[in-house]
Amino acid sequence: MAGFSHVRDLLENPPGEEEVQVRGWVYRTRSSGKIVFAVLRDSTGIVQVTIKKGNLPDPEFEQAVGATIESSVEVRGTVHKDDRAPGGYELRAKSFILIGPAPPFPITEYQSEELLLDNRHLWIRSREQTAVMKVKASLLMGARNWLDENGFFEVTPPIFTQNACEGGVTLFKLKYFDREAYLSQSAQMYLEAIMFSLERVYALTPSFRAEKSRTTRHLTEFWHLELEEAWVDNIGNMKIQEELVSAMVQEVVRDRKEEIALLGRDIEQLKAIVPPFKRVTYSHMIERLQGKGIDIAWGCDLGAAEERAVTQEETIPTFVTNFPIECKAFYMKQDPDDPRTVKCADLLAPEGYGEIIGGSERETDIDIIMARLAEQQVPVDAYQWYLDLRRYGSVPHSGFGLGVERVLRWVCKLEHIRDAVPFPRTVARAYP
Ligand code: 4AD
Ligand code: MG
């Protein structure tokens, strides 16, 4: 008998008569006198363990009788076919050892959302949360593989910053010794700087936004995957985005069929997420919204409701390009063909999920940037280093930021973005 097996190995390659050992946590249990049925959970799945008095030493049988939900245990036994058991096999115990006992578990079947959030550190052991975390890991692996194959360097920008990248309204301010600093909203400006060394760069960092709005798609701390690409225009930027998103989703299709099924998402819908995605201009989107009877004028930003309305019926993501210049950040490149607009694209997920990426070609004209900072009454001093990037060998370039939890929420069909992160940070909560 070689060490411990994982549950998945037992179910996929039943070992026959040979004894095996597994270890994990008690998922549920019931007993009737001389027999205990415990379902054991590990990181790979669940298996039914049948513990029968007489098949193992009496003190171990008593431990099994007393084992509560989420106790950790080690079991030795043999695997037998049983169509009634989850996975089609059961493990008949010859030994059952309690490793870590557990008091009554505070989470039972029907619980208020508040209680689940208060006990988040325990609730993340649930099968749904476990599935979501595995899908997230696969999305990130798919991204990293694609980025590596396509010549991007992973880099490490700072989180403390003295610049607002995305406007002052959502900045978290903090005391940085005797100065003021902020938590990063986006690594973009630093990626633009590093791009001059490495040409194609990306970073995966937490970003922070003091979002006061309680919505199903805003966190105050989220994971941000950002790319910056030298010599790439807005059209090339969109191509990179659709290939990257597709590579991420197809990694999930390959690795996470079970989890996707458990979360109630049809895998065929994910298989369809391949390039090309749709492309629509902002102006066209406004006409479409007006056609649906929605009261919106050219010049207004698209909110969650508008994004939902235009993506509800879609099955693949849509790029919305050329937003009005006054809706977007100071660094986006003005479109010479339509100077009321910028060369940007928001990528909207289908089925009503809305924005998952914000990106653009970057303005290279230092005077335009300074004028736009002045318009927004931003003191230019703190931006001198950024303006240097336009002074010293500036090149056309583009980039974007992908909200990892936004993508995960869509892929896993989650009602609320807080379930896309193990310890959600929202206006209402920073505990546990
Ligand atoms: O559209 P945003 O604000 O763009 C930027 O920050 C750019 N500087 C990125 C870049 O070009 N490097 O944010 C990018 C993405 C959004 O599309 C969304 O997916 C996600 O970040 N995001 C949030 N996700 C969760 N909670 C929030 N409060 C978010 N704010 C933005
Ligand atoms: Mg945006």
Side-chain angles (χ1 to χ4, degrees):
M1 192 171 47
F4 286 89
S5 305
H6 270 126
V7 165
R8 173 182 292 273
D9 301 329
L10 296 189
L11 301 177
E12 286 183 354
N13 305 299
E17 325 235 291
E18 203 192 321
E19 280 189 8
V20 291
Q21 296 188 90
V22 293
R23 53 189 164 191
W25 294 265
V26 174
Y27 181 65
R28 56 173 183 258
T29 171
R30 75 193 150 87
S31 70
S32 54
K34 294 190 163 42
I35 186 159
V36 178
F37 297 100
V39 174
L40 181 141
R41 159 184 86 70
D42 72 3
S43 63
T44 66
I46 56 173
V47 65
Q48 178 171 300
V49 183
T50 308
I51 307 115
K52 211 169 174 178
K53 196 176 167 75
N55 285 355
L56 68 173
D58 276 350
E60 292 187 16
F61 179 76
E62 292 311 321
Q63 289 203 329
V65 171
T68 48
I69 286 178
E70 289 305 322
S71 299
S72 53
V73 298
E74 285 179 7
V75 184
R76 177 169 52 81
T78 48
V79 175
H80 301 265
K81 199 153 181 36
D82 181 343
D83 293 334
R84 292 160 304 178
Y89 289 89
E90 66 165 10
L91 177 64
R92 293 189 193 150
K94 292 189 177 167
S95 165
F96 184 101
I97 296 169
L98 189 63
I99 302 292
F105 205 56
I107 302 169
T108 53
E109 202 164 346
Y110 300 101
Q111 292 295 353
S112 73
E113 198 57 44
E114 277 309 293
L115 185 134
L116 291 178
L117 287 166
D118 285 341
N119 287 285
R120 191 69 170 191
H121 51 299
L122 300 174
W123 177 237
I124 48 175
R125 302 182 188 190
S126 70
R127 296 195 79 202
E128 293 75 13
Q129 285 288 317
T130 301
V132 169
M133 290 190 281
K134 287 186 185 176
V135 173
K136 193 176 206 173
S138 291
L139 283 173
L140 293 176
M141 195 196 308
R144 284 207 164 93
N145 288 344
W146 187 91
L147 289 159
D148 187 44
E149 283 160 19
N150 287 276
F152 283 84
F153 290 94
E154 181 164 9
V155 299
T156 55
I159 300 297
F160 285 136
T161 173
Q162 295 195 311
N163 300 109
C165 186
E166 297 300 321
V169 184
T170 63
L171 273 181
F172 275 109
K173 285 193 188 63
L174 55 96
K175 204 165 129 43
Y176 189 79
F177 305 105
D178 54 354
R179 271 149 294 169
E180 196 170 74
Y182 315 116
L183 292 177
S184 171
Q185 297 168 307
S186 161
Q188 177 190 325
M189 296 167 71
Y190 297 100
L191 294 183
E192 286 188 61
I194 300 171
M195 178 203 80
F196 285 82
S197 310
L198 301 174
E199 294 192 24
R200 292 184 149 214
V201 296
Y202 77 95
L204 177 64
T205 62
S207 279
F208 302 87
R209 310 265 171 114
E211 303 274 5
K212 293 243 172 61
S213 48
R214 291 163 196 260
T215 74
T216 55
R217 59 184 209 158
H218 285 98
L219 295 164
T220 54
E221 175 180 336
F222 66 97
W223 284 83
H224 208 169
L225 178 61
E226 294 178 274
L227 275 64
E228 204 63 36
E229 314 119 9
W231 314 107
V232 170
D233 64 8
N234 194 42
I235 291 173
N237 197 29
M238 286 190 275
K239 271 207 148 73
I240 290 171
Q241 289 170 52
E242 64 190 1
E243 284 187 24
L244 174 67
V245 169
S246 162
M248 293 171 75
V249 173
Q250 295 314 316
E251 184 75 35
V252 172
V253 169
R254 270 193 299 281
D255 304 348
R256 297 293 161 219
K257 292 196 175 59
E258 244 171 65
E259 288 78 13
I260 289 299
L262 182 123
L263 293 165
R265 146 85 65 203
D266 178 359
I267 196 113
E268 296 304 320
Q269 295 169 322
L270 299 183
K271 286 186 184 163
I273 308 305
V274 289
F277 296 167
K278 292 197 175 170
R279 286 158 170 74
V280 178
T281 62
Y282 165 89
S283 298
H284 185 82
M285 215 41 132
I286 292 296
E287 281 169 24
R288 216 197 266 183
L289 283 163
Q290 289 167 344
K292 283 179 188 283
I294 293 169
D295 182 24
I296 186 167
W298 198 98
C300 301
D301 206 355
L302 302 181
E306 288 80 30
E307 290 182 4
R308 200 175 313 115
V310 290
T311 60
Q312 200 91 67
E313 310 297 323
E314 298 291 347
T315 55
I316 61 166
T318 305
F319 289 108
V320 185
T321 65
N322 281 87
F323 277 74
I325 195 161
E326 58 278 3
C327 291
K328 291 293 185 188
F330 71 91
Y331 52 74
M332 292 192 180
K333 186 174 176 65
Q334 192 165 19
D335 190 342
D337 298 330
D338 183 1
R340 297 178 310 161
T341 71
V342 282
K343 293 175 98 177
C344 70
D346 277 4
L347 183 61
L348 310 186
E351 302 167 37
Y353 286 98
E355 181 183 342
I356 52 175
I357 290 183
S360 74
E361 194 168 330
R362 313 310 190 188
E363 185 57 77
T364 47
D365 184 321
I366 190 167
D367 297 327
I368 296 182
I369 296 186
M370 294 224 277
R372 291 189 65 195
L373 282 171
E375 246 166 56
Q376 293 169 17
Q377 292 170 359
V378 178
V380 185
D381 270 2
Y383 290 81
Q384 284 305 337
W385 72 268
Y386 181 73
L387 295 171
D388 268 356
L389 307 179
R390 305 300 186 263
R391 296 188 183 108
Y392 293 87
S394 181
V395 293
H397 64 287
S398 299
F400 62 89
L402 172 152
V404 176
E405 287 78 16
R406 292 272 182 98
V407 173
L408 188 61
R409 176 177 175 234
W410 155 51
V411 167
C412 293
K413 263 187 113 146
L414 303 175
E415 191 72 19
H416 201 294
I417 195 166
R418 66 178 165 230
D419 285 324
V421 65
F423 293 99
R425 298 310 184 223
T426 59
V427 62
R429 185 175 284 278
Y431 174 93

